[in-house]
Amino acid sequence: MTKKPEMLALDNQLCFAFYSVSHAFSRAYRPFLDPLGLTYPQYVVLLVLWEQDDLTVKEIGDRLFLDSGTLTPLLKRLEAAGHIRRTRDRKDERQVRVLLTETGRTMRDKAEEIPRQVGCVLGLSFDEVRAFTQEVAKLRGRLHDSAAVSAKS
Amino acid sequence: MTKKPEMLALDNQLCFAFYSVSHAFSRAYRPFLDPLGLTYPQYVVLLVLWEQDDLTVKEIGDRLFLDSGTLTPLLKRLEAAGHIRRTRDRKDERQVRVLLTETGRTMRDKAEEIPRQVGCVLGLSFDEVRAFTQEVAKLRGRLHDSAAVSAKS
DNA sequence: CACAATCTAATCGCGCACAATCTAAATCCA
DNA sequence: TGGATTTAGATTGTGCGCGATTAGATTGTG
């Protein structure tokens, strides 16, 4: 009555493929981020702010699928490093607005070349990368949707 | 002289797609793993041992791309929970052999249905999942290869 | 207006990841 | 054989992720 025995084989687990490739990416970025004094999650937060500055913690979290428990200490470290400023919103004192400093903005120029440099070892064309990225994002969306459904209690 | 402005856009980052989908998977597995008292990394270690029992810490690490700094405390928790035993190898006292207990083996039956249940929200056929998994593993291989090359110093 | 419900961050605790370092065992090889 | 090198695992410190809780501000409703 056991299902296909390979059902639990590690090499058939899509989740493990993502889990391990995600760490591999983080390691691949490290040589480029270390000189900038950034961790990968910190870099991702800056990606968000470089696209749109002056966001609340909640807005950053929505974009990155992270909550304040993760973001608050991370943002404090980015602030201590001089990349951002955090200020309570005057209109709504619940919210904390995150703004890039001049240092944080200029950091963007140093980061500009990183995706290409890491990407060139992937052996994928620009279009392939984009198609792949969208496929993966689609899966992520389905996982989130199902989580939302099961949390509808 | 700025490159394509969308080069750093979050939605074009393959790395972020993997980063975020990996966490989404971990969250999707949680409702199934919590009742078993397992975290996702612990579950993955058991996947390895269910495929082949009596491995050293190194062998598990090679399979999962993790080192002893991560595995040692994780394995101690699995041992404390009664799923495995850890014993020094008599032939080579440097090595620690990891063996499933009866509890650990029977846990496999409870885990058997998890991948299918999570997988059914993905909207992918078995073949699609497999193809996707292999594509992702191929990328992981290229990242590891390039890391190995740059570490050839 | 009062006051409950909702919302935003912050905080705390735990469990990874991982670099760096350490110890001890095994292997190499002059 | 014996010292140098290599290897396996453990340890330490830092930084995430995230569930759970808390504090404080805002909104909704009678």
Side-chain angles (χ1 to χ4, degrees):
Chain A
M1 204 44 56
T2 307
K3 321 304 171 194
K4 297 186 169 189
E6 73 273 17
M7 201 66 192
L8 285 180
L10 189 67
D11 291 340
N12 293 339
Q13 305 301 312
L14 186 54
C15 57
F16 175 70
F18 286 136
Y19 166 87
S20 54
V21 84
S22 166
H23 291 148
F25 261 106
S26 171
R27 273 168 245 157
Y29 270 73
R30 191 180 305 277
F32 301 99
L33 294 177
D34 269 352
L36 305 184
L38 294 174
T39 65
Y40 181 75
Q42 289 167 8
Y43 163 76
V44 178
V45 167
L46 290 181
L47 283 183
V48 171
L49 292 170
W50 290 330
E51 273 196 274
Q52 185 180 350
D53 200 355
D54 192 11
L55 294 172
T56 67
V57 173
K58 177 114 181 46
E59 289 166 332
I60 296 172
D62 286 345
R63 199 96 176 82
L64 298 178
F65 313 101
L66 297 173
D67 67 5
S68 70
T70 299
L71 286 175
T72 296
L74 188 158
L75 291 170
K76 284 182 177 176
R77 281 185 283 269
L78 278 181
E79 187 175 39
H83 301 306
I84 63 167
R85 278 188 310 117
R86 301 181 318 130
T87 55
R88 285 278 164 190
D89 188 315
R90 282 282 154 67
K91 307 288 183 189
D92 185 342
E93 290 279 347
R94 290 174 302 183
Q95 303 183 128
V96 168
R97 307 208 70 86
V98 180
L99 297 106
L100 287 167
T101 61
E102 189 54 33
T103 313
R105 262 188 300 279
T106 59
M107 187 67 77
R108 186 195 154 105
D109 299 331
K110 301 182 190 163
E112 189 82 43
E113 285 301 313
I114 297 179
R116 190 200 324 281
Q117 294 185 274
V118 174
C120 72
V121 312
L122 295 177
L124 298 179
S125 70
F126 183 80
D127 284 345
E128 285 173 319
V129 167
R130 192 158 70 174
F132 216 138
T133 303
Q134 286 173 0
E135 278 301 308
V136 176
K138 200 184 298 177
L139 289 185
R140 185 186 60 211
R142 291 190 189 135
L143 288 172
H144 284 153
D145 290 347
S146 84
V149 168
S150 56
K152 73 173 184 307
S153 55
Chain B
M1 204 44 56
T2 308
K3 322 302 170 192
K4 296 187 171 191
E6 72 273 19
M7 202 64 193
L8 286 180
L10 189 67
D11 291 340
N12 292 339
Q13 304 302 312
L14 186 55
C15 57
F16 175 71
F18 286 137
Y19 167 87
S20 54
V21 83
S22 166
H23 292 149
F25 261 106
S26 172
R27 273 167 246 159
Y29 270 72
R30 193 178 306 275
F32 301 100
L33 294 177
D34 270 353
L36 305 183
L38 294 174
T39 65
Y40 181 75
Q42 288 167 10
Y43 163 76
V44 177
V45 167
L46 290 182
L47 283 183
V48 170
L49 291 170
W50 290 331
E51 273 195 275
Q52 185 181 349
D53 201 355
D54 191 11
L55 293 172
T56 66
V57 174
K58 177 106 179 54
E59 288 166 332
I60 295 172
D62 286 345
R63 198 97 176 82
L64 299 178
F65 313 102
L66 297 172
D67 66 7
S68 71
T70 300
L71 287 174
T72 296
L74 188 157
L75 291 170
K76 284 182 178 176
R77 281 185 282 269
L78 278 180
E79 187 174 40
H83 301 305
I84 62 167
R85 280 189 309 117
R86 302 181 316 130
T87 55
R88 286 278 164 189
D89 189 312
R90 282 280 154 65
K91 307 287 181 187
D92 184 343
E93 289 279 345
R94 290 173 304 181
Q95 302 184 131
V96 168
R97 308 209 69 87
V98 180
L99 297 107
L100 287 167
T101 61
E102 189 54 30
T103 313
R105 262 188 300 278
T106 58
M107 188 66 75
R108 185 194 156 105
D109 298 333
K110 302 181 189 162
E112 190 82 43
E113 286 299 315
I114 298 180
R116 191 197 325 281
Q117 294 185 274
V118 174
C120 72
V121 311
L122 295 177
L124 299 178
S125 70
F126 184 80
D127 285 344
E128 286 173 317
V129 167
R130 193 159 68 174
F132 217 139
T133 304
Q134 287 173 359
E135 279 299 308
V136 176
K138 200 184 298 178
L139 288 186
R140 184 186 61 211
R142 290 188 190 139
L143 288 172
H144 284 152
D145 290 348
S146 85
V149 167
S150 54
K152 72 174 185 304
S153 54

